[in-house]
Amino acid sequence: MTVMPKTLHVNLFEMACVSHIVHGMWRAPENARLRFGELSFWTDLASRAETAGIEAIFLADVLGVYDRFGGLEPALRTGMQIPNLDPFSVVPAMAAVTTHLNFAVTASTTYEPPFAFARRISSLDMLTNGRVGWNVVTSYLPNAARNFGLENEIEHDARYERADEYIEVLYKLWEGSWADDAWRGDTIDNVVTAYDRVRRINHQGQYFSVEGPHLLPPTRQRTPVLFQASGSERGLQTAARHAEAVFIGGRTPHETKENIERTRAAAQACGRAPQDLKFYVMAGLIVGKTEQEARAKLERYRKFYDVEGALSHAQSEIDLRAVDPELTIAEALAETGTSFGNMGRRFGKDQKVGAALEQISRFDEGRYFAVGTPAQIADSIEEWLDIDGIDGINLRQYHSFETLNDYADFIAPELRKRGRLPPFPCRPSSFRARLFGHDRVSNRHPAHSYSFEARSS
Amino acid sequence: MTVMPKTLHVNLFEMACVSHIVHGMWRAPENARLRFGELSFWTDLASRAETAGIEAIFLADVLGVYDRFGGLEPALRTGMQIPNLDPFSVVPAMAAVTTHLNFAVTASTTYEPPFAFARRISSLDMLTNGRVGWNVVTSYLPNAARNFGLENEIEHDARYERADEYIEVLYKLWEGSWADDAWRGDTIDNVVTAYDRVRRINHQGQYFSVEGPHLLPPTRQRTPVLFQASGSERGLQTAARHAEAVFIGGRTPHETKENIERTRAAAQACGRAPQDLKFYVMAGLIVGKTEQEARAKLERYRKFYDVEGALSHAQSEIDLRAVDPELTIAEALAETGTSFGNMGRRFGKDQKVGAALEQISRFDEGRYFAVGTPAQIADSIEEWLDIDGIDGINLRQYHSFETLNDYADFIAPELRKRGRLPPFPCRPSSFRARLFGHDRVSNRHPAHSYSFEARSS
């Protein structure tokens, strides 16, 4: 019996801004990032991605500025996620020039009311015939909170409680408000919608009160594919209950495997099955026809590296560049009485400041970073799939559109040769069907319990 | 000296739904309205509109169901504005296939926070290079209020107070947060944005508290072209202060002229000039090569007329069909103890019920309705321009895409021959420049007082 090898799901990691995660690279020759505000940037990107067999464009988003490190200046100067466009504004244009490329859009549960958001996603899912995912975030920038009338960010666990109710409202609208056969469009009997197959949701909760009905009939997927990161303990609970695609990290295969297993176990405790979840890591791939060529490309990229953008992104309160490089991070923080923002996720506290700075500027993402020939990169990816147990990657872009073109020209063909990519070109399908083989949420998923049919019986 | 005749600004009146204003017509042969959920409907519509020289697609919107007349049933059965898509979801796709078509999008000031909305509009204005307008509404459907956590709609005047502050927040973000020269994209000096040319807005008001900065640099227009209807007295005040394009109605030339003069006078009292405002009416045009052909088309259309959709749209509490047609509307309401919803705007209370029903079903919109040859229709339009004093129309669509094609093939050529349309094809331009000759708000407009430069000096 031939066992089919596990295939890789590939999202292109994007954000509608100049500098998303690899700061400084916008200055590299031929990098198109300064065109992020032009429609043609997005239609070009989508066409190339579809041709390359990329499964989805994954769009990050923030609703404020990273201003903890040095105020507004570093983020503004380096284009670090500001300016940024509403990710929903670029998807319809990309959808119009593609037929099976999918789109995962980040949106927060914290600041905007669920009713309008439900229609926003359903509109995209309808117009794309089911090519939409939602990356659920609760937002963490203090400036974002202050842009929405809050003195400061809502406390972490309370954000997740609110998120849980927000998502419940969405399920009621997406799954429970319209029956599958409600939409008729029947010119003979003169019925657009069968009124008795639509109902109000009458949600009355702690945070929200929403009458309904939903403003759109069931789309191909009803609920979009749900993406989530499982960083914190409370975040893990929400991901285990709701997420179909989970972002995880890990510095070693062991750590990643453990994170995956822990999340799968938590999902099973919620009545879900292990195969109901896919796991993604962010990965950096730098390819050349020879290893030397790949390493030369990496060196070329590194010249543009902008540490200020990285410190701003990290929300660090401390300027590592002004600290004795021989101190450990813990010592440096103690000495200055500051906190280290998100950098803590990336470095051990007993790592030396100089080494940490050096590590950032090497573009080194640890385990999920491969530089070399197509074969070397494919070897790494096969390990990630088979040893670490991941299902997919969010492909980090160093250079637009060089990273995408490199993937198309060198990496995808090698992976395809090894049977490590899903068949392509593929038949038109929903995003969820590409991942799980079915258009709608699994009947073990909590959304399913809100279905019109389930509630009617 | 030759005086150039006044030219007509033409918006195509649209809504992302099956039945927007002419209820029942979706059943007419070849009507494409059941395709409203497909991207190709919108890209086809936009391409045709641009080719026809239509200046803008005007997108209406509601955030709930019209349920006062008979609950959900009539609206659902007739497709009367439900289902409906988020209008923002169709604009980027239409923008991607056009180069100078403009888009006016309806959005309410009542339910969603201003910060995200500011970015939403700026994203469109940036991606389209200035082809965006905003139709400011405060929402009036009770169901919409209940979809956003309110027991019932906010009282009318309070909605407008909130709207005024909402708009003020937007001006601060659009006009005052980024200087014109803030965006650099300078690869030599390594500066994406000049940080000292951007500032937070620190708005603290009665309804909103918003820190900023805005998430996007100045777009071509900064503030989108502001559309508003001036129905009520309080609405008129808001329109007089903010609106650059005002919807008005009138049953006679005199009434229209009076509405225009009253709004212009109110605008002047706010320090604005008469030429700072354009006035639009909704108009229905049914054309044929001969008058007979046009009247036959009207008769053909009328066969599809659905009175239930119209009563639902009117939010009538009374079913006129069940009332003695010889009663006046006032008598019928008194007898049944009901109210007449929006129908009051259309009919006098001393009109007879039978006559009112008959008037609705004739598709007769009164003064701004013309049926006939291209020359007859152009004659009517010339009267509207020269006698009534209007500047533009929202073209009511009876049939998609027959109405648009008829406009393109018959009406536009006749108007162009008479010098009654702006030059076409036109140079790429912003929406505001098409209307007023300049990209940014006039310096007499209240938005101008929030400009970065004004506040710095």
Side-chain angles (χ1 to χ4, degrees), chain A residues 16 18 24 26-28 33-34 36-39 42-43 61-65 67 71-93 95-97 111-117 119-120 122-124 126-128 131 142-151 178 183 185-196 198-200 204 208-217 306, chain B residues 16 18 24 26-28 33-34 36-39 42-43 61-65 67 71-93 95-97 111-117 119-120 122-124 126-128 131 142-151 178 183 185-196 198-200 204 208-217 306:
Chain A
V18 172
W26 65 275
R27 294 170 63 210
R33 301 261 20 129
L34 290 175
F36 83 99
E38 297 171 27
L39 268 175
W42 298 99
T43 51
D61 190 35
V62 291
L63 285 161
V65 187
D67 59 358
L72 298 179
E73 179 176 354
L76 285 168
R77 186 187 67 71
T78 62
M80 206 287 290
Q81 305 196 359
I82 184 171
N84 70 55
L85 298 166
D86 182 353
F88 282 83
S89 70
V90 297
V91 170
V97 298
Y111 304 120
E112 295 197 90
F115 187 80
F117 178 71
R119 184 178 68 154
R120 210 162 273 146
S122 291
S123 297
L124 286 189
M126 174 161 282
L127 290 167
T128 61
R131 297 193 274 143
N143 172 249
R146 298 192 300 267
N147 288 331
F148 289 87
L150 305 170
E151 281 286 306
W178 291 59
W183 166 266
D186 180 341
T187 55
I188 308 300
D189 285 344
N190 193 9
V191 175
V192 173
T193 298
Y195 75 94
D196 56 342
V198 176
R199 61 176 167 232
R200 304 180 197 260
Q204 297 280 352
F208 305 107
S209 138
V210 180
E211 184 176 85
H214 190 36
L215 294 176
L216 284 168
D306 195 326
Chain B
V18 172
W26 65 276
R27 294 169 64 210
R33 300 262 19 130
L34 290 174
F36 84 99
E38 297 172 28
L39 268 176
W42 298 99
T43 49
D61 190 36
V62 292
L63 285 161
V65 187
D67 61 357
L72 297 180
E73 179 176 354
L76 285 168
R77 185 188 66 72
T78 62
M80 207 287 290
Q81 306 197 358
I82 183 170
N84 70 55
L85 299 166
D86 181 353
F88 282 84
S89 69
V90 297
V91 171
V97 298
Y111 303 119
E112 295 197 272
F115 187 80
F117 177 71
R119 184 178 69 153
R120 210 163 272 146
S122 291
S123 297
L124 287 188
M126 173 162 282
L127 291 167
T128 60
R131 297 192 274 144
N143 173 250
R146 297 192 300 268
N147 288 332
F148 289 88
L150 304 171
E151 280 288 306
W178 291 59
W183 166 266
D186 180 341
T187 55
I188 308 300
D189 285 343
N190 193 9
V191 175
V192 173
T193 298
Y195 74 95
D196 56 342
V198 177
R199 61 176 166 230
R200 304 180 198 260
Q204 297 281 351
F208 305 107
S209 135
V210 180
E211 183 175 86
H214 190 36
L215 294 176
L216 284 167
D306 196 326

Side-chain angles (χ1 to χ4, degrees), chain B residues 66-385:
Chain B
Y66 290 76
D67 61 357
R68 252 190 205 142
F69 176 73
L72 297 180
E73 179 176 354
L76 285 168
R77 185 188 66 72
T78 62
M80 207 287 290
Q81 306 197 358
I82 183 170
N84 70 55
L85 299 166
D86 181 353
F88 282 84
S89 69
V90 297
V91 171
M94 292 197 284
V97 298
T98 54
T99 54
H100 47 255
L101 184 64
N102 300 293
F103 307 96
V105 191
T106 299
S108 172
T109 56
T110 301
Y111 303 119
E112 295 197 272
F115 187 80
F117 177 71
R119 184 178 69 153
R120 210 163 272 146
I121 284 274
S122 291
S123 297
L124 287 188
D125 205 53
M126 173 162 282
L127 291 167
T128 60
N129 199 19
R131 297 192 274 144
V132 175
W134 170 33
N135 179 37
V136 186
V137 300
T138 61
S139 300
Y140 60 87
L141 290 178
N143 173 250
R146 297 192 300 268
N147 288 332
F148 289 88
L150 304 171
E151 280 288 306
N152 227 312
E153 45 187 336
I154 301 175
E155 186 267 320
H156 181 277
D157 286 10
R159 284 210 310 274
Y160 276 92
E161 261 179 44
R162 197 185 140 97
D164 283 339
E165 189 185 328
Y166 187 99
I167 294 168
E168 187 191 347
V169 171
L170 296 175
Y171 291 162
K172 289 178 176 177
L173 292 166
W174 287 332
E175 301 284 337
S177 185
W178 291 59
D180 279 336
D181 62 353
W183 166 266
R184 298 286 160 85
D186 180 341
T187 55
I188 308 300
D189 285 343
N190 193 9
V191 175
V192 173
T193 298
Y195 74 95
D196 56 342
R197 307 297 288 155
V198 177
R199 61 176 166 230
R200 304 180 198 260
I201 65 164
N202 293 315
H203 175 88
Q204 297 281 351
Q206 189 183 346
Y207 297 96
F208 305 107
S209 135
V210 180
E211 183 175 86
H214 190 36
L215 294 176
L216 284 167
T219 60
R220 182 156 177 180
Q221 298 188 117
R222 284 187 179 264
T223 295
V225 177
L226 298 169
F227 282 78
Q228 211 189 322
S230 74
S232 65
E233 207 41 55
R234 185 63 182 82
L236 176 87
Q237 283 170 42
T238 299
R241 205 173 327 161
H242 302 288
E244 300 171 279
V246 186
F247 290 105
I248 47 147
R251 277 168 286 198
T252 61
H254 177 74
E255 212 176 279
T256 301
K257 260 208 296 230
E258 213 171 55
N259 282 337
I260 291 176
E261 275 161 26
R262 202 160 52 107
T263 312
R264 282 225 162 90
Q268 282 186 272
C270 301
R272 303 176 67 198
Q275 70 270 25
D276 294 347
L277 291 86
K278 301 278 185 209
F279 291 88
Y280 287 74
V281 293
M282 177 166 71
L285 308 175
I286 294 182
V287 71
K289 279 176 205 144
T290 61
E291 189 177 335
Q292 199 184 12
E293 195 183 297
R295 297 216 166 266
K297 187 179 287 175
L298 175 60
E299 285 316 310
R300 184 155 53 79
Y301 286 177
R302 278 182 183 152
K303 290 205 188 94
F304 296 99
Y305 182 70
D306 196 326
V307 70
E308 197 173 56
L311 291 171
S312 169
H313 195 172
Q315 296 261 69
S316 177
E317 287 182 352
I318 184 172
D319 189 347
L320 290 184
R321 298 166 302 182
V323 173
D324 176 356
E326 288 304 312
L327 289 179
T328 65
I329 286 174
E331 287 165 350
L333 294 178
E335 198 162 279
T336 51
T338 52
S339 91
F340 199 45
N342 303 323
M343 295 286 257
R345 292 191 201 153
R346 225 162 137 185
F347 304 107
K349 291 219 162 182
D350 47 0
Q351 190 167 354
K352 287 197 174 166
V353 165
L357 270 176
E358 162 69 13
Q359 188 187 331
I360 311 180
S361 65
R362 281 205 317 269
F363 285 2
D364 186 345
E365 295 147 53
R367 171 78 180 155
Y368 304 105
F369 182 60
V371 187
T373 62
Q376 287 173 313
I377 287 178
D379 287 346
S380 294
I381 290 173
E382 291 194 314
E383 279 187 24
W384 304 342
L385 285 165

